[in-house]
Amino acid sequence: MRIEKCYFCSTNVYPGHGIQFVRNDCKIFRFCSSKCHKAFKKKRNPRKIRWTKAFRKAAGKELAVDPSFEFERKRDVPVKYNRQLWNKTVHSIRRIETVKGRRQSQFIKNRMRAGQKLADERDVKEVEQNIHIIENPVIDRKKMLEKVKLRRKTKTKAPLLAMETD
């Protein structure tokens, strides 16, 4: 049983599923769904369609270069069945999956960290621009009342001083 990759979006196409298109030059294209098949017929570029694996890799949203991808490559060399080799292969596949999962999660964390820095800078800038909205209005009222009281005191004292000097 061979699990193929969709030519357009790079998802898995299991036996008996999807659409197969054979061009005049005998090149075989496999598609996971009619959505991918229609996009291919419309000559859309998978690197420009946001939901494809090619776009995500080209935009830097997924790991593009990793040695573990070498194990996923298609090999057409037949190998004679050997139980010991089969067990080793299954064990190594599990190990590779765990390593690949860790690398992908680390890649995502690094991407999120950069985005979080940008978000923090944006938040600080917004707070600096709109600090007048955040400042406590009660404190401002107290300051204003103190200023008004000082003005009243100086205004009431000023006429008295003027009368005394006359």
Side-chain angles (χ1 to χ4, degrees):
M1 180 174 93
R2 175 169 279 175
I3 300 169
E4 304 287 344
K5 292 284 184 186
C6 176
Y7 181 79
F8 195 77
C9 69
S10 302
T11 58
N12 293 333
V13 181
Y14 293 93
H17 293 266
I19 301 164
Q20 187 172 356
F21 172 70
V22 182
R23 205 165 49 189
N24 287 340
D25 62 351
C26 296
K27 170 93 169 96
I28 297 172
F29 300 95
R30 287 183 177 81
F31 303 103
C32 60
S33 64
S34 61
K35 179 181 180 180
C36 294
H37 187 223
K38 286 175 188 173
F40 175 78
K41 286 194 291 188
K42 290 179 181 178
K43 298 183 180 180
R44 300 257 165 89
N45 187 349
R47 287 172 294 184
K48 293 183 181 178
I49 308 295
R50 295 184 68 88
W51 50 267
T52 62
K53 197 98 161 167
F55 174 85
R56 294 188 61 77
K57 285 186 178 181
K61 294 182 179 294
E62 282 188 12
L63 268 173
V65 179
D66 192 39
S68 64
F69 294 144
E70 189 68 28
F71 296 110
E72 285 185 13
R73 282 207 357 233
K74 184 175 165 183
R75 291 176 181 81
D76 290 327
V77 178
V79 178
K80 187 175 179 183
Y81 177 76
N82 180 356
R83 185 178 191 144
Q84 198 173 25
L85 176 67
W86 181 260
N87 288 335
K88 273 186 172 179
T89 304
V90 170
H91 178 71
S92 63
I93 287 172
R94 288 186 189 134
R95 183 94 173 102
I96 290 165
E97 287 298 319
T98 58
V99 169
K100 196 160 88 171
R102 273 194 246 124
R103 286 180 181 167
Q104 286 176 344
S105 63
Q106 187 62 39
F107 180 77
I108 290 169
K109 284 179 186 175
N110 291 342
R111 277 187 56 233
M112 293 298 159
R113 194 175 301 130
Q116 188 62 41
K117 283 183 182 177
L118 291 174
D120 290 345
E121 290 173 7
R122 205 176 319 120
D123 292 343
V124 167
K125 186 176 179 182
E126 185 178 356
V127 167
E128 288 173 353
Q129 288 176 347
N130 301 318
I131 193 71
H132 63 280
I133 298 171
I134 299 172
E135 287 180 345
N136 193 351
V138 175
I139 295 173
D140 291 341
R141 286 184 190 153
K142 287 181 182 177
K143 287 181 182 176
M144 289 299 289
L145 287 173
E146 289 175 8
K147 287 180 182 177
V148 169
K149 286 179 184 176
L150 285 174
R151 285 183 189 159
R152 285 183 186 164
K153 286 181 183 176
T154 55
K155 284 182 181 177
T156 54
K157 286 184 181 177
L160 289 175
L161 290 174
M163 292 171 133
E164 289 176 5
T165 54
D166 287 336

